[in-house]
Every structure is written in structure tokens, then in C-alpha cells.
């Protein structure tokens, strides 16, 4: 069964479904239908497994559609981590995590919409031997336009080396003071 187009063309998979008994259903709940959906790649032989639960019987085509949608969600999540820094937040509080996530997803949404608009206005990129504009490519273009390239002269490199080493020295002193305090308090 074809499950859409990927970067390397149409994806062909063979699918199988096995009904499984769910022994972890909480007391008083309907058992529903538990199935194991198996995807086999025709060329590489790679197997993927999906455990699915539905309240009633569902056609194989709907289970496959859900699995394919899950793949697209995972792809978008990976792109959001790479392009918008979703995985770069170093937060320790719930509210700050929510803020960081919202800002990153907003930035990624902007990139995805801008890339989609660009694809609509692009006069047939395949005729020119190009793939359509992607969010990461758009980000590279924006960075090159908005952010000036870094300076590479010797004085600048020495200044940054001095600044980093001073910052690391201050951080080391702060850690040593904290460790000394923690030892006396214990």
C-alpha cells in the first residue's frame, strides 16, 4: 500500500494487523479492540510495529492513516527541534518551559507558513531542478539576511578567547565557593 510521498519518492509498504488481547485494561473499562499493526518496508525489509487501541472495530486503512499521520508529526517535531531550537531550552520551571515551547513553536509555525507561501509563488522549482523550499532552507536564508556573518579577524578572535576564559574562571570560582559552602553546611 502506498502511504504518500517522501523525499525519495513514493513510500511503498506492506502492512499486517494482528489482534492482541489487552491484559492491562483497568477494572470496569470496556476492553475495546487492541491490535498490533506491522509495517514492512519492501526494499530494506525493515519492520515497524504500532500497538493500536480503538473502542470498536476499525478498518486497516484507518489504522494505516493514523500511523502515517504519526510519522508526519514526528518529522515536524524533529524539524521544530532543529530549526527553532525546541530542544535547546534549559529551563527548570513549568512556566518557563511552557513559554520556551510556545516561542519555539510560534517561530517554527512562522517558518512553515512562510515556506508554504514561498512554494505557492515559486514558479515550478522542479523545472529548474530544485526541490520546493523547506523550513530549514528558509531559516538559512533568513539567517544570512538578518544576522551579519561573524567577524573572523585576529583581534576579534583573541577578544572572544579572553572573554570566554574570564567567564569560565568566574564560573569555576562560583562553583568552588558553592562546593565549599555545601561541605561546611553538611
Amino acid at each position: 500500500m502506498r502511504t504518500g510521498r517522501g523525499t525519495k519518492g513514493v513510500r511503498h509498504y506492506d502492512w499486517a494487523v494482528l489482534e492482541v488481547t489487552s491484559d492491562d485494561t483497568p477494572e470496569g473499562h470496556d476492553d475495546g479492540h487492541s491490535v498490533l499493526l506491522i509495517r514492512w518496508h519492501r526494499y530494506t525489509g525493515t519492520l515497524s510495529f504500532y500497538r493500536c487501541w480503538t473502542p470498536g472495530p476499525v478498518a486497516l486503512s484507518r489504522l494505516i492513516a493514523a500511523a502515517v499521520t504519526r510519522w508526519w508529526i514526528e518529522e515536524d517535531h524533529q524539524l521544530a527541534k532543529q530549526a527553532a531550537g525546541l530542544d535547546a531550552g534549559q529551563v527548570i520551571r513549568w512556566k518557563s518551559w511552557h513559554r520556551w515551547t510556545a516561542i519555539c513553536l510560534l517561530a517554527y509555525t512562522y517558518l512553515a507558513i512562510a515556506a508554504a507561501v514561498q512554494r505557492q509563488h515559486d514558479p515550478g522549482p522542479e523545472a529548474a531542478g530544485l526541490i520546493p523550499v523547506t523550513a530549514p532552507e528558509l531559516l538559512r536564508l533568513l539567517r544570512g539576511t538578518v544576522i551579519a556573518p561573524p567577524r573572523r579577524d585576529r583581534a576579534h578572535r583573541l577578544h572572544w578567547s579572553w572573554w570566554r576564559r574570564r567567564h569560565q574562571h568566574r564560573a569555576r570560582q562560583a562553583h568552588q565557593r558553592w562546593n565549599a559552602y555545601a561541605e561546611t553546611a553538611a
Side-chain angles (χ1 to χ4, degrees):
M1 176 179 269
R2 292 182 186 157
T3 56
R5 295 191 59 80
T7 56
K8 298 173 185 160
V10 178
R11 293 189 307 265
H12 291 276
Y13 296 106
D14 287 332
W15 296 85
V17 65
L18 297 171
E19 193 156 342
V20 294
T21 3
S22 181
D23 58 355
D24 56 357
T25 304
E27 190 79 26
H29 285 80
D30 183 24
D31 288 342
H33 290 273
S34 287
V35 296
L36 182 65
L37 183 64
I38 305 166
R39 182 184 74 187
W40 180 67
H41 192 280
R42 289 183 179 182
Y43 309 118
T44 64
T46 305
L47 290 173
S48 299
F49 301 92
Y50 303 89
R51 183 171 179 205
C52 309
W53 181 90
T54 59
V58 174
L60 177 61
S61 59
R62 289 205 50 200
L63 291 173
I64 292 171
V68 170
T69 302
R70 181 177 174 265
W71 182 83
W72 281 111
I73 291 168
E74 288 177 7
E75 285 293 309
D76 281 345
H77 189 257
Q78 288 297 325
L79 271 175
K81 289 189 333 188
Q82 293 169 4
L86 184 60
D87 61 345
Q90 297 181 5
V91 295
I92 58 172
R93 298 274 190 258
W94 187 251
K95 283 185 180 180
S96 56
W97 179 81
H98 272 278
R99 289 178 186 138
W100 178 260
T101 303
I103 288 171
C104 289
L105 291 177
L106 183 64
Y108 180 69
T109 302
Y110 170 78
L111 287 172
I113 291 171
V117 167
Q118 178 63 33
R119 282 193 292 268
Q120 287 178 345
H121 295 0
D122 219 355
E126 289 189 19
L130 303 171
I131 65 167
V133 173
T134 61
E137 181 63 22
L138 185 61
L139 181 63
R140 280 189 284 278
L141 292 170
L142 286 173
R143 281 185 180 150
T145 304
V146 176
I147 301 172
R151 291 175 47 190
R152 304 260 188 238
D153 59 287
R154 185 173 192 273
H156 185 77
R157 287 194 317 264
L158 289 175
H159 170 77
W160 273 107
S161 172
W162 181 80
W163 182 89
R164 271 192 310 272
R165 290 169 44 220
R166 184 185 65 207
H167 176 74
Q168 289 168 347
H169 174 73
R170 288 179 179 168
R172 180 186 297 159
Q173 286 180 325
H175 286 291
Q176 288 171 348
R177 281 194 305 268
W178 170 253
N179 288 336
Y181 170 76
E183 285 178 10
T184 59

